[in-house]
């Protein structure tokens, strides 16, 4: 039994190492060890195993690691027919061209939201959206959408969590969610990031199940509350079309 536990722990640690590359393309042994909070000797052994299987590659010139080609081999065999990030990309690009702001797609994962797709604005000053970014469910327009339209157990779990931001009262947060349900969209101005604003709407599939949050984001001095209210009907119509495309 102990061997089984050790094996699972080793797998979890190896996966933690792989996840380090979600926001960095090249990392040294020391940088990885710091990120996963493990001794360098342990990380070195795990990297050696991953390298042996082709999941990471070591650049001896820089002594840094990067993802190996085995990752792309696996991704080539993914089923994209039901993936909203793939299916909805053309619609997101059209919406970006129409509104000239950054368009993002978020899904709920536990008590976080994950940006699974993004199309950045062509404007010189724009909202940069990293795909794969994980963000809290307490703040931001898309967070409000994913919580307000979620199953009751999601809201219950969030209310019981102990990591609610300082200064955000549960009663205020619940009132925000009620407002979102009433108007059908959510807005945020510098809630999570200084100088940034966003408006978001829900995407429901044909079974009326919440699939994702569709958001438009940009600089708060350009994406004002008045502008976001103007964008809301456009977003809602786009979300309606997108909902017919996903299961």
């Amino acid at each position: 039994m102990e061997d089984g536990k050790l094996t699972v722990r080793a797998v979890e640690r190896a996966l933690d190492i792989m996840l380090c590359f979600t926001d960095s393309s090249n990392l040294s042994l020391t940088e990885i060890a710091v990120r996963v909070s493990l001794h360098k000797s342990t990380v070195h052994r795990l990297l050696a195993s991953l390298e042996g299987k082709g999941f990471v590659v070591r650049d001896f010139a820089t002594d840094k690691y990067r993802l190996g080609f085995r990752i792309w081999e696996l991704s080539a065999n993914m089923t994209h027919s039901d993936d909203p990030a793939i299916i909805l990309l053309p619609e997101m690009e059209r919406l970006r061209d129409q509104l000239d702001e950054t368009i993002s797609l978020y899904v709920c994962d536990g008590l976080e939201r994950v940006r699974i797709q993004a199309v950045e604005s062509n404007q010189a000053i724009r909202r940069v959206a990293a795909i794969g970014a994980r963000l809290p469910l307490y703040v931001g327009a898309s967070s409000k959408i994913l919580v307000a339209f979620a199953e009751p157990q999601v809201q219950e779990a969030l209310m019981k969590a102990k990591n609610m931001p300082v200064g955000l009262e549960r009663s205020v947060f619940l009132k925000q969610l009620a407002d979102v349900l009433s108007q059908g969209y959510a807005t945020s101005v510098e809630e999570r990031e200084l100088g940034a604003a966003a408006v978001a709407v829900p995407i429901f599939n044909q079974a009326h199940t919440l699939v994702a949050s569709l958001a438009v984001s940009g600089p708060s001095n350009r994406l004002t509350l008045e502008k976001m209210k103007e964008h809301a009907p456009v977003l809602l119509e786009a979300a309606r079309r997108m909902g017919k495309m996903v299961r």
Side-chain angles (χ1 to χ4, degrees), residues 207-246:
H208 204 67
T209 299
L210 181 65
V211 174
S213 171
L214 177 67
V216 175
S217 59
S220 56
N221 62 349
R222 188 171 67 222
L223 198 59
T224 62
L225 280 173
E226 291 74 16
K227 181 62 68 174
M228 287 191 282
K229 288 179 181 178
E230 291 178 12
H231 288 341
V234 179
L235 263 179
L236 287 166
E237 175 58 26
R240 187 190 65 78
R241 293 195 306 270
M242 293 179 182
K244 294 180 178 181
M245 301 170 63
V246 294

Side-chain angles (χ1 to χ4, degrees), residues 7 17 28 32 42 44 73 83 95 110 142 154 175 201 210 217 222 226 230 237-238 241 244:
T7 300
I17 289 174
S28 68
I32 296 172
T42 301
H44 186 269
E73 292 176 16
D83 186 351
L95 189 60
S142 283
V154 174
K175 175 63 167 59
V201 300
L210 181 65
S217 59
R222 188 171 67 222
E226 291 74 16
E230 291 178 12
E237 175 58 26
R241 293 195 306 270
K244 294 180 178 181

Side-chain angles (χ1 to χ4, degrees), residues 84 92 102-109 112-118 127-137 140-143 145-146 192 198-203 210-217:
M92 292 176 67
T102 295
I103 311 298
S104 297
L105 196 67
Y106 293 92
V107 297
C108 186
D109 184 19
E112 295 179 308
R113 60 178 162 117
V114 183
R115 186 184 292 117
I116 62 170
Q117 188 59 278
R127 181 79 170 81
V128 177
I131 297 175
R134 287 181 170 271
L135 303 167
L137 276 179
S142 283
S143 290
I145 290 294
L146 292 173
R192 190 182 59 81
V199 54
V201 300
I203 296 177
L210 181 65
V211 174
S213 171
L214 177 67
V216 175
S217 59

Side-chain angles (χ1 to χ4, degrees), residues 46-120:
L46 291 167
L47 283 169
S49 296
L50 291 169
E51 186 177 10
K53 292 294 184 179
F55 288 102
V56 298
V57 175
R58 182 182 177 187
D59 186 338
F60 288 95
T62 61
D63 203 26
K64 289 192 173 186
Y65 294 85
R66 57 179 172 80
L67 292 177
F69 289 111
R70 187 58 57 89
I71 294 293
W72 313 121
E73 292 176 16
L74 288 175
S75 65
N77 291 317
M78 287 179 61
T79 300
H80 299 309
S81 59
D82 295 328
D83 186 351
I86 303 299
I87 296 172
L88 303 181
L89 181 57
E91 285 292 328
M92 292 176 67
E93 291 174 337
R94 277 192 281 272
L95 189 60
R96 183 270 316 275
D97 294 341
Q98 183 178 1
L99 301 180
D100 204 14
E101 295 290 359
T102 295
I103 311 298
S104 297
L105 196 67
Y106 293 92
V107 297
C108 186
D109 184 19
L111 298 183
E112 295 179 308
R113 60 178 162 117
V114 183
R115 186 184 292 117
I116 62 170
Q117 188 59 278
V119 182
E120 292 185 6

Side-chain angles (χ1 to χ4, degrees), residues 152-206:
Q153 55 266 32
V154 174
Q155 291 188 19
E156 292 172 7
L158 199 63
M159 290 300 102
K160 293 178 181 177
K162 298 179 180 179
N163 60 339
M164 181 171 280
V166 176
L168 178 61
E169 297 182 4
R170 282 173 168 76
S171 59
V172 174
F173 186 59
L174 290 172
K175 175 63 167 59
Q176 291 176 348
L177 298 181
D179 291 341
V180 169
L181 284 173
S182 175
Q183 63 190 15
Y185 66 91
T187 61
S188 65
V189 179
E190 299 186 342
E191 289 186 8
R192 190 182 59 81
E193 185 178 341
L194 188 65
V199 54
V201 300
I203 296 177
F204 296 102
N205 62 16
Q206 296 182 41

Side-chain angles (χ1 to χ4, degrees), residues 3-19:
D3 289 340
K5 290 182 179 179
L6 289 173
T7 300
V8 171
R9 186 169 62 177
V11 172
E12 289 178 345
R13 287 175 168 178
L15 292 173
D16 285 340
I17 289 174
M18 296 298 296
L19 290 172

